[in-house]
Amino acid sequence: MPLDYLIVGAGPAGLQLAALLEADGRRDYLVLEGASRPGAFFERYPRHRTLISINKPHTGTTDPELNLRLDWNSLLSDDPELLFTRYTERYFPHADVMLTYLSDFARGLRVRYDTRVTRIHRNGDLFQVDAGDQTFTARRLIVATGVSKTYRPDIPGFELAEGYDEMSVDPRDFLDQRVLIIGKGNSAFETADNLMETTSVIHVAGPSSVHLAWRTHYVGHLRAVNNNFLDTYQLKSANAILDGTVKSIERDGDGFRVAFGFSRANEVVKELYYDRVLACTGFRFDASVFDDSCRPELTVRDRFPAQTEAWESTNVPGLYFAGTISQVRDFKKSTNGFIHGFRYAVRALHKILERTYAGVPWPADKLDATPEAVTDAIIARVNRTSALWQQFSVLADVVTVAAGDARYHDEVPVDWFATHGLATAEHDYRHAFVVTLEYGPEHDQVDPFDVTVSRIAQDVPGQAHDAAYLHPVVRHYRDGTAVATHHLAENLENRWDRPSVHVEPLREFVARSLTEA
């Protein structure tokens, strides 16, 4: 008999979905993992063995929901022993701790190890997955393999560069050498930081600008923990960042001759010489196991599978994606590329699968259909929720209001709601309030450390729509169309419960929305 769900990959996302299915009594699933343990990616990556996902056990609160705002590594579980914060107090943990944690989390889940998938094909409405001499059949397939292949840009001679996956991480191997690092992400700067003490010169090169996470609020951009190299460049300490394009790489005796086009110097091309060239150009999804019957369309320079608002393949029905490869829906904007984001996306995917294939409505709490009850529920949630906090602009709480009846739905994907809605046979609503946490307009253009830039006052609700920092946004939908928006004033301590500043203006907005035709 075919399985209801076959999950490929026992990394964090695959285990999260398996745990949700198991907890829901859905036992007709299986996880296939090519390695002999879960989370095998973390055996090798990051190469320098320090995670940049924060871990903060000491938060000043015992509220488990609030604590997940500062815990970027735990998967979602009702078992308090399965909190990553129980495993180490290090703010930036060692990658080996993640391996231990995932091994513990996987206990009791239906995982088949040492079962490497070699071919995926479609036979009618069923997926057939070959792994060695075994074939598994499933109605739905969820791929949670991550971005397992290094991305190799089309540069003549790029094969001469040492990849991030294979280069030495021993600084003494680069003693007195001139090194070029291609790439401007965290892996590039992590590598540069590791080599600064032993190399003679390091150049970090790429066509895009260096984006700092503290400014863009995208945690995949350059993190402060990896940006020591910027000092050595701007304080004239031999190193440099090159803005432009590597045109070619050629052998030159024992070293390499690199043609580089400078983007900020009218595309002047210079030949530069290095002892080593390292490629830290990121990763991509490996689609090679799919045959033509179910090969997913790719996007973002063929690095990710293209996906609908339900994280389903755009061209292969029943094929879903979970984990870091789901970031294509919020690419370089929110947090689906990281555990602290996609753990909630996987929970939402589980609800979508239940609704689509089992007819289970999105879970909801009943409320009185009054402005006071709706307002109180929203205020209570925005002051606790970790999901909306981590998945800003991507996940929303949705309050639907019909005649005399209101329902509160947690953690609904914004794009999915806009397409599918939440109506049921017994609750066919007209009004919906979609609650998100969002940064303000052009927030990534503002230097948060520039004291000459004025900020919106925290106690002036009428100006809240211009706030740059994270704050709640409530949108009123009537008959499926967004008709009004209310911003709650930002707050230094992220407390949005002041009666005159947050609560009463929101109540007035809800009341006005429900009475308008």
Side-chain angles (χ1 to χ4, degrees), residues 174-239:
F174 297 82
L175 194 62
D176 292 322
Q177 293 183 350
R178 292 175 55 87
V179 177
L180 172 66
I181 300 174
I182 304 174
K184 286 183 176 177
N186 280 294
S187 63
F189 283 95
E190 163 201 309
T191 300
D193 191 51
N194 183 54
L195 300 180
M196 283 193 298
E197 293 180 353
T198 57
T199 53
S200 60
V201 170
I202 301 174
H203 288 168
V204 173
S208 62
S209 301
V210 173
H211 298 288
L212 301 170
W214 51 258
R215 180 166 183 162
T216 67
H217 304 114
Y218 172 64
V219 299
H221 283 150
L222 180 58
R223 302 285 298 285
V225 69
N226 285 327
N227 72 13
N228 288 335
F229 183 84
L230 300 183
D231 270 8
T232 71
Y233 172 38
Q234 288 298 301
L235 301 181
K236 305 179 295 298
S237 300
N239 301 321

Coordinates of all heavy atoms in Angstrom, one line a residue, residues 174-239:
F174 N 47.7 28.3 4.9 CA 47.6 29.5 4.0 C 48.7 30.5 4.4 O 48.6 31.7 4.1 CB 46.3 30.1 4.1 CG 45.1 29.3 3.6 CD1 44.6 28.3 4.4 CD2 44.6 29.4 2.3 CE1 43.5 27.5 4.0 CE2 43.6 28.6 1.9 CZ 43.0 27.7 2.7
L175 N 49.8 30.0 5.1 CA 50.8 30.9 5.6 C 51.5 31.7 4.6 O 51.9 31.2 3.5 CB 51.9 30.0 6.3 CG 52.8 30.7 7.3 CD1 52.1 31.4 8.4 CD2 53.9 29.7 7.8
D176 N 51.4 33.0 4.8 CA 52.0 34.0 3.9 C 51.5 34.0 2.5 O 52.2 34.3 1.5 CB 53.6 33.9 3.9 CG 54.2 34.2 5.2 OD1 53.7 35.2 5.8 OD2 55.1 33.5 5.6
Q177 N 50.3 33.6 2.3 CA 49.7 33.5 0.9 C 48.8 34.6 0.6 O 48.1 35.2 1.6 CB 49.0 32.1 0.7 CG 50.0 30.9 0.8 CD 49.2 29.6 0.5 OE1 48.0 29.6 0.5 NE2 50.0 28.6 0.3
R178 N 48.7 34.9 -0.7 CA 47.6 35.9 -1.1 C 46.4 35.0 -1.5 O 46.5 34.1 -2.3 CB 48.1 36.6 -2.4 CG 49.3 37.6 -2.0 CD 49.8 38.3 -3.3 NE 48.7 38.9 -4.1 CZ 48.3 40.2 -3.9 NH1 48.8 40.9 -3.0 NH2 47.3 40.7 -4.7
V179 N 45.3 35.4 -0.9 CA 44.1 34.5 -1.1 C 42.9 35.4 -1.6 O 42.6 36.5 -1.1 CB 43.7 33.9 0.2 CG1 42.4 33.1 0.1 CG2 44.8 33.0 0.8
L180 N 42.3 34.9 -2.7 CA 41.0 35.5 -3.1 C 39.9 34.6 -2.7 O 39.9 33.4 -2.9 CB 41.0 35.5 -4.7 CG 39.7 36.0 -5.3 CD1 39.3 37.4 -5.0 CD2 39.7 35.8 -6.8
I181 N 38.9 35.2 -2.1 CA 37.6 34.5 -1.7 C 36.5 35.0 -2.5 O 36.2 36.2 -2.5 CB 37.3 34.7 -0.2 CG1 38.5 34.2 0.7 CG2 36.0 34.0 0.2 CD1 38.3 34.4 2.2
I182 N 35.9 34.2 -3.3 CA 34.8 34.6 -4.2 C 33.5 34.4 -3.4 O 33.2 33.3 -3.0 CB 34.7 33.8 -5.5 CG1 36.1 33.9 -6.2 CG2 33.6 34.3 -6.4 CD1 36.2 33.0 -7.5
G183 N 32.7 35.5 -3.2 CA 31.5 35.4 -2.5 C 31.5 36.5 -1.4 O 32.5 36.9 -0.9
K184 N 30.3 37.0 -1.0 CA 30.2 38.0 0.0 C 29.1 37.7 1.0 O 28.6 38.6 1.7 CB 29.8 39.3 -0.7 CG 30.9 40.0 -1.5 CD 30.5 41.3 -2.0 CE 31.7 42.0 -2.7 NZ 31.2 43.3 -3.3
G185 N 28.9 36.4 1.2 CA 28.0 36.0 2.3 C 28.7 35.6 3.5 O 29.9 35.8 3.7
N186 N 28.0 35.0 4.5 CA 28.6 34.6 5.7 C 29.7 33.5 5.6 O 30.7 33.6 6.3 CB 27.5 34.1 6.7 CG 26.8 35.2 7.4 OD1 27.3 36.0 8.1 ND2 25.5 35.4 7.0
S187 N 29.5 32.6 4.6 CA 30.6 31.6 4.5 C 31.9 32.2 4.0 O 33.0 31.8 4.4 CB 30.1 30.5 3.5 OG 29.9 31.0 2.2
A188 N 31.8 33.3 3.2 CA 33.0 34.0 2.7 C 33.7 34.7 3.8 O 34.9 34.6 4.0 CB 32.6 34.9 1.6
F189 N 32.9 35.4 4.6 CA 33.5 36.2 5.7 C 33.9 35.4 6.9 O 34.9 35.7 7.6 CB 32.6 37.4 6.1 CG 32.6 38.5 5.1 CD1 31.6 38.5 4.1 CD2 33.5 39.5 5.2 CE1 31.6 39.6 3.2 CE2 33.5 40.5 4.3 CZ 32.6 40.6 3.2
E190 N 33.2 34.3 7.1 CA 33.6 33.3 8.1 C 35.0 32.8 7.7 O 35.9 32.6 8.6 CB 32.6 32.2 8.2 CG 33.0 30.9 8.8 CD 32.1 29.7 8.4 OE1 30.9 29.9 8.4 OE2 32.7 28.7 8.0
T191 N 35.2 32.5 6.4 CA 36.5 31.9 6.0 C 37.6 33.0 6.1 O 38.7 32.7 6.5 CB 36.3 31.5 4.5 OG1 35.3 30.4 4.5 CG2 37.6 31.0 4.0
A192 N 37.3 34.2 5.7 CA 38.3 35.3 5.8 C 38.7 35.5 7.2 O 39.9 35.7 7.5 CB 37.7 36.6 5.2
D193 N 37.7 35.5 8.1 CA 38.0 35.7 9.5 C 39.0 34.7 10.0 O 39.9 34.9 10.8 CB 36.7 35.8 10.3 CG 36.9 36.2 11.7 OD1 37.5 37.3 11.9 OD2 36.5 35.5 12.7
N194 N 38.8 33.5 9.6 CA 39.6 32.3 10.0 C 41.0 32.5 9.5 O 42.0 31.9 10.1 CB 39.0 31.0 9.5 CG 39.7 29.8 10.0 OD1 39.9 29.6 11.2 ND2 40.1 29.0 9.0
L195 N 41.2 33.1 8.4 CA 42.6 33.2 7.7 C 43.3 34.5 8.0 O 44.5 34.6 7.6 CB 42.4 33.0 6.2 CG 41.8 31.6 5.8 CD1 41.7 31.6 4.3 CD2 42.5 30.4 6.3
M196 N 42.8 35.4 8.7 CA 43.4 36.8 8.7 C 44.8 36.7 9.4 O 45.6 37.5 9.1 CB 42.5 37.7 9.5 CG 41.3 38.2 8.7 SD 40.5 39.6 9.4 CE 39.9 38.9 10.9
E197 N 45.0 35.8 10.3 CA 46.2 35.8 11.1 C 47.4 35.3 10.3 O 48.5 35.5 10.7 CB 46.0 35.1 12.4 CG 45.1 35.8 13.4 CD 44.9 35.0 14.7 OE1 45.5 33.9 14.8 OE2 44.3 35.5 15.6
T198 N 47.1 34.4 9.3 CA 48.2 33.7 8.7 C 48.5 34.1 7.2 O 49.6 33.9 6.7 CB 48.0 32.2 8.7 OG1 46.7 31.9 8.1 CG2 47.9 31.7 10.1
T199 N 47.5 34.7 6.6 CA 47.7 35.1 5.2 C 48.4 36.5 5.1 O 48.4 37.2 6.0 CB 46.3 35.2 4.5 OG1 45.5 36.1 5.2 CG2 45.7 33.9 4.3
S200 N 49.0 36.7 3.9 CA 49.6 38.0 3.7 C 48.5 39.0 3.2 O 48.5 40.2 3.6 CB 50.7 37.9 2.6 OG 50.3 37.4 1.4
V201 N 47.6 38.6 2.3 CA 46.6 39.4 1.8 C 45.3 38.6 1.5 O 45.4 37.4 1.1 CB 47.0 40.1 0.4 CG1 45.8 40.8 -0.2 CG2 48.1 41.1 0.7
I202 N 44.2 39.1 1.9 CA 42.9 38.5 1.5 C 42.1 39.5 0.7 O 41.9 40.6 1.2 CB 42.1 38.0 2.7 CG1 42.9 37.0 3.6 CG2 40.8 37.4 2.3 CD1 42.2 36.6 4.9
H203 N 41.5 39.1 -0.4 CA 40.5 39.9 -1.1 C 39.2 39.1 -1.1 O 39.2 37.9 -1.5 CB 40.9 40.1 -2.6 CG 42.0 41.1 -2.7 ND1 42.7 41.4 -3.8 CD2 42.6 42.0 -1.7 CE1 43.7 42.3 -3.6 NE2 43.6 42.7 -2.4
V204 N 38.1 39.7 -0.7 CA 36.8 39.1 -0.8 C 36.1 39.8 -1.9 O 36.0 41.0 -2.0 CB 36.0 39.3 0.5 CG1 34.6 38.8 0.4 CG2 36.7 38.5 1.6
A205 N 35.6 39.0 -2.9 CA 35.1 39.6 -4.1 C 33.7 39.1 -4.5 O 33.4 37.9 -4.3 CB 36.1 39.3 -5.3
G206 N 32.9 39.9 -5.2 CA 31.6 39.5 -5.7 C 30.9 40.7 -6.3 O 31.3 41.9 -6.0
P207 N 29.9 40.5 -7.1 CA 29.2 41.6 -7.9 C 28.3 42.4 -7.0 O 27.9 43.5 -7.4 CB 28.5 40.8 -9.0 CG 28.3 39.5 -8.5 CD 29.5 39.1 -7.6
S208 N 27.8 41.8 -5.9 CA 26.7 42.5 -5.1 C 27.4 43.3 -4.0 O 28.6 43.1 -3.6 CB 25.8 41.5 -4.6 OG 26.4 40.6 -3.7
S209 N 26.6 44.2 -3.4 CA 27.1 44.9 -2.2 C 27.1 44.0 -1.0 O 26.4 42.9 -1.0 CB 26.1 46.1 -2.0 OG 26.0 47.0 -3.1
V210 N 27.9 44.4 0.0 CA 27.9 43.7 1.2 C 26.6 44.2 2.0 O 26.5 45.4 2.3 CB 29.1 43.9 2.1 CG1 29.0 43.3 3.4 CG2 30.4 43.4 1.3
H211 N 25.7 43.3 2.3 CA 24.5 43.6 3.1 C 24.7 43.2 4.5 O 25.0 42.0 4.8 CB 23.3 43.0 2.4 CG 23.0 43.4 1.0 ND1 22.6 44.6 0.7 CD2 23.2 42.7 -0.2 CE1 22.4 44.8 -0.6 NE2 22.8 43.6 -1.1
L212 N 24.5 44.1 5.4 CA 24.7 43.8 6.9 C 23.3 43.5 7.5 O 22.4 44.2 7.4 CB 25.3 45.0 7.5 CG 26.6 45.5 7.0 CD1 27.1 46.8 7.5 CD2 27.7 44.4 7.3
A213 N 23.3 42.3 8.2 CA 22.0 41.8 8.7 C 21.4 42.8 9.7 O 20.2 42.9 9.8 CB 22.3 40.5 9.4
W214 N 22.2 43.5 10.5 CA 21.7 44.4 11.5 C 20.9 45.6 10.8 O 20.1 46.2 11.5 CB 22.7 44.9 12.4 CG 24.0 45.5 11.9 CD1 25.2 44.9 11.8 CD2 24.2 46.8 11.3 NE1 26.1 45.7 11.3 CE2 25.5 46.9 11.0 CE3 23.3 47.9 11.1 CZ2 26.1 48.0 10.4 CZ3 23.9 49.0 10.6 CH2 25.2 49.1 10.2
R215 N 21.2 45.8 9.5 CA 20.5 46.8 8.8 C 19.3 46.3 8.0 O 18.2 46.9 8.0 CB 21.4 47.6 7.9 CG 20.8 48.7 7.1 CD 21.8 49.6 6.5 NE 21.2 50.8 5.8 CZ 21.9 51.9 5.5 NH1 23.1 52.0 5.9 NH2 21.2 52.8 4.9
T216 N 19.5 45.2 7.3 CA 18.4 44.6 6.5 C 17.4 43.8 7.2 O 16.3 43.6 6.7 CB 19.0 43.8 5.4 OG1 19.6 42.6 6.0 CG2 20.1 44.5 4.6
H217 N 17.8 43.3 8.4 CA 16.9 42.4 9.2 C 16.8 41.0 8.6 O 15.9 40.3 9.0 CB 15.6 43.0 9.5 CG 15.7 44.4 10.2 ND1 15.3 45.5 9.6 CD2 16.2 44.7 11.4 CE1 15.5 46.6 10.4 NE2 16.0 46.1 11.6
Y218 N 17.6 40.7 7.6 CA 17.6 39.4 7.0 C 18.8 38.7 7.6 O 20.0 39.1 7.3 CB 17.7 39.5 5.5 CG 17.9 38.1 4.8 CD1 16.9 37.1 5.0 CD2 19.1 37.9 4.1 CE1 17.1 35.9 4.4 CE2 19.2 36.6 3.5 CZ 18.3 35.7 3.7 OH 18.5 34.4 3.1
V219 N 18.6 37.6 8.4 CA 19.7 37.0 9.1 C 20.7 36.2 8.2 O 21.7 35.8 8.7 CB 19.2 36.1 10.2 CG1 18.3 36.9 11.2 CG2 18.4 34.9 9.7
G220 N 20.3 36.1 6.9 CA 21.3 35.4 6.0 C 22.3 36.4 5.5 O 23.3 36.0 4.9
H221 N 22.1 37.7 5.6 CA 23.1 38.7 5.3 C 24.2 38.7 6.3 O 24.1 38.0 7.3 CB 22.5 40.1 5.1 CG 21.7 40.2 3.9 ND1 20.6 41.1 3.8 CD2 21.8 39.7 2.6 CE1 20.1 41.1 2.6 NE2 20.8 40.2 1.8
L222 N 25.2 39.4 6.0 CA 26.5 39.3 6.8 C 26.2 39.7 8.3 O 25.7 40.8 8.6 CB 27.5 40.3 6.3 CG 28.9 40.3 7.1 CD1 29.5 38.9 7.1 CD2 29.8 41.3 6.4
R223 N 26.5 38.7 9.2 CA 26.2 38.9 10.6 C 27.5 39.5 11.3 O 28.6 39.3 10.8 CB 25.9 37.5 11.2 CG 24.7 36.8 10.6 CD 23.4 37.4 11.0 NE 23.3 37.3 12.5 CZ 23.0 36.1 13.0 NH1 22.7 35.0 12.3 NH2 22.9 36.0 14.3
A224 N 27.2 40.2 12.3 CA 28.3 40.9 13.1 C 29.4 39.9 13.5 O 30.6 40.2 13.6 CB 27.8 41.7 14.2
V225 N 29.0 38.7 13.9 CA 29.9 37.7 14.4 C 30.9 37.3 13.3 O 32.0 36.8 13.6 CB 29.2 36.4 14.9 CG1 28.5 35.7 13.7 CG2 30.1 35.5 15.7
N226 N 30.6 37.6 12.0 CA 31.6 37.3 10.9 C 32.2 38.5 10.3 O 32.9 38.3 9.3 CB 30.8 36.5 9.9 CG 30.6 35.0 10.3 OD1 31.4 34.4 11.0 ND2 29.5 34.5 9.8
N227 N 32.0 39.7 10.8 CA 32.4 40.8 10.0 C 33.7 41.5 10.5 O 33.9 42.7 10.2 CB 31.2 41.8 9.9 CG 30.9 42.6 11.2 OD1 31.7 42.6 12.1 ND2 29.8 43.3 11.2
N228 N 34.5 40.8 11.3 CA 35.8 41.4 11.7 C 36.6 41.8 10.5 O 37.4 42.8 10.6 CB 36.6 40.4 12.5 CG 36.0 40.2 13.9 OD1 35.3 41.1 14.4 ND2 36.3 39.1 14.5
F229 N 36.4 41.1 9.4 CA 37.2 41.4 8.2 C 37.0 42.8 7.7 O 37.9 43.5 7.1 CB 36.9 40.4 7.1 CG 37.7 40.6 5.8 CD1 38.9 40.0 5.7 CD2 37.2 41.3 4.7 CE1 39.6 40.1 4.5 CE2 37.9 41.4 3.6 CZ 39.1 40.8 3.5
L230 N 35.8 43.4 7.9 CA 35.5 44.7 7.4 C 36.4 45.7 8.1 O 36.9 46.7 7.4 CB 34.1 45.1 7.8 CG 33.0 44.2 7.1 CD1 31.6 44.8 7.5 CD2 33.1 44.1 5.6
D231 N 36.8 45.5 9.3 CA 37.8 46.4 10.0 C 39.1 46.4 9.3 O 39.7 47.4 9.0 CB 38.0 46.0 11.4 CG 37.0 46.7 12.4 OD1 36.1 47.4 11.9 OD2 37.2 46.5 13.6
T232 N 39.6 45.2 8.9 CA 40.9 45.1 8.3 C 40.9 45.8 6.9 O 42.0 46.2 6.5 CB 41.3 43.6 8.2 OG1 40.6 43.0 7.2 CG2 41.2 42.9 9.5
Y233 N 39.8 45.9 6.3 CA 39.7 46.6 5.0 C 39.7 48.1 5.2 O 40.5 48.8 4.7 CB 38.5 46.1 4.2 CG 38.1 46.8 3.0 CD1 39.1 47.3 2.1 CD2 36.8 47.1 2.7 CE1 38.8 48.0 0.9 CE2 36.4 47.7 1.5 CZ 37.4 48.2 0.6 OH 37.1 48.9 -0.5
Q234 N 38.7 48.6 6.0 CA 38.5 50.0 6.1 C 39.6 50.7 7.0 O 39.8 51.9 6.9 CB 37.1 50.3 6.7 CG 36.0 50.0 5.7 CD 36.1 50.9 4.5 OE1 36.1 52.1 4.6 NE2 36.2 50.3 3.4
L235 N 40.3 49.9 7.8 CA 41.4 50.5 8.6 C 42.7 50.2 8.0 O 43.8 50.1 8.7 CB 41.3 49.9 10.1 CG 40.0 50.3 10.8 CD1 40.0 49.7 12.2 CD2 39.7 51.8 10.8
K236 N 42.8 49.9 6.7 CA 44.0 49.8 5.9 C 44.9 48.7 6.5 O 46.1 49.0 6.7 CB 44.7 51.2 5.9 CG 43.8 52.3 5.3 CD 44.5 53.6 5.3 CE 44.8 54.2 6.7 NZ 43.6 54.4 7.5
S237 N 44.4 47.5 6.6 CA 45.3 46.5 7.2 C 45.5 45.3 6.2 O 45.3 44.2 6.5 CB 44.6 45.9 8.5 OG 44.5 46.9 9.4
A238 N 45.8 45.7 5.0 CA 46.2 44.8 3.9 C 45.1 44.2 3.1 O 45.3 43.8 1.9 CB 47.2 43.8 4.4
N239 N 44.0 44.0 3.7 CA 42.9 43.2 3.1 C 42.0 44.2 2.3 O 42.0 45.4 2.5 CB 42.1 42.4 4.1 CG 43.0 41.4 4.8 OD1 43.9 40.8 4.2 ND2 42.8 41.2 6.1

